[in-house]
Amino acid sequence: LATGETIYIGRDKFENEDLIKFAWPEDIWFHVDNLSSAHLYLRLYDTGYTFETIPDDVLLACAALVKANSIEGCKKHEVDVCYTPASNLKKTPSMEVGQVSYKNSKLVSFVNNVEKNHEIVKPIVKTKIESNPNFEKEYEDHMNELASIKHAEKLKKKNEEKAKIKEKEKIEAAKKKDLEDFHNRRYERS
């Protein structure tokens, strides 16, 4: 996108299936509501956004792209586009290839009445990079990075707790020594 975000759009139901399987926990999934459409994933990692804080212009751009990439939706004057965290997507073995539902429908939001918008779509299409990323490897690398970050945070917290305990022990030792010195001075005077 023009604002620097990374998006992935499935070219067909099989690529949609890979996107479902290897979506990052922070990704946001977009789809034309109640119609067949491409799956669009907005990668939020390193953007500073959360599901609740995605800027309106980014939401509108993603919605316009999904509409433009829907065989049925692009023919309609306007459509509604649903979006939810990718971690909220539910895939069961009985579902068709590329089909999903939600774990929690309360986590689904909508961009309503999305119309064709060439002013938004054209500049994005011009910056499009066609590639065949290895979604599985990207997912594994990302999950390893998250695990490393989590491990580093745990280690930092553990070290901070150790430092607090040492400081507390040092203060207690100083108090004990001060008390002993006080008693020794008292007995020396007597």
Side-chain angles (χ1 to χ4, degrees):
L1 298 177
T3 48
E5 296 81 12
T6 299
I7 58 169
Y8 291 95
I9 302 176
R11 286 180 270 220
D12 56 35
K13 64 183 180 180
F14 300 105
E15 195 167 82
N16 285 345
E17 193 71 22
D18 282 346
L19 287 166
I20 294 164
K21 189 174 179 181
F22 300 115
W24 292 9
E26 314 85 5
D27 288 354
I28 304 299
W29 174 85
F30 290 79
H31 194 274
V32 173
D33 194 33
N34 296 319
L35 295 175
S36 175
S37 83
H39 293 208
L40 182 146
Y41 290 79
L42 172 63
R43 183 123 309 154
L44 289 189
Y45 188 72
D46 277 345
T47 63
Y49 307 144
T50 65
F51 177 67
E52 296 81 12
T53 64
I54 300 169
D56 289 343
D57 60 328
V58 174
L59 287 174
L60 188 56
C62 290
L65 278 170
V66 169
K67 178 181 176 13
N69 284 279
S70 170
I71 293 169
E72 294 175 67
C74 72
K75 296 174 187 169
K76 296 193 176 284
H77 175 67
E78 58 183 37
V79 297
D80 294 335
V81 173
C82 53
Y83 65 101
T84 191
S87 58
N88 188 41
L89 296 177
K90 179 180 172 182
K91 178 74 179 175
T92 63
S94 64
M95 291 178 170
E96 296 287 325
V97 172
Q99 184 181 16
V100 293
S101 64
Y102 311 116
K103 295 174 187 172
N104 182 350
S105 60
K106 292 178 182 174
L107 292 177
V108 180
S109 292
F110 293 87
V111 180
N112 294 310
N113 308 316
V114 178
E115 297 179 359
K116 282 185 183 176
N117 193 328
H118 296 295
E119 291 175 16
I120 292 176
V121 175
K122 268 188 176 182
I124 296 170
V125 170
K126 284 182 181 179
T127 64
K128 173 173 83 171
I129 299 170
E130 288 268 345
S131 66
N132 295 306
N134 183 335
F135 294 121
E136 183 174 10
K137 180 161 180 8
E138 285 184 5
Y139 176 80
E140 288 172 3
D141 290 348
H142 179 63
M143 296 312 285
N144 287 336
E145 180 185 1
L146 291 179
S148 293
I149 291 168
K150 190 173 183 178
H151 177 72
E153 287 171 352
K154 257 186 184 177
L155 194 59
K156 181 181 176 187
K157 187 176 180 180
K158 188 176 180 180
N159 288 337
E160 286 171 352
E161 287 172 2
K162 279 183 182 179
K164 282 181 185 177
I165 290 169
K166 276 188 177 184
E167 184 63 27
K168 190 175 181 180
E169 287 172 349
K170 187 177 173 183
I171 290 169
E172 291 299 319
K175 284 181 183 178
K176 186 176 178 183
K177 183 171 180 347
D178 287 347
L179 189 59
E180 286 173 1
D181 289 347
F182 173 75
H183 285 298
N184 288 339
R185 280 193 302 269
R186 237 175 81 190
Y187 289 120
E188 287 173 4
R189 288 185 191 153
S190 315

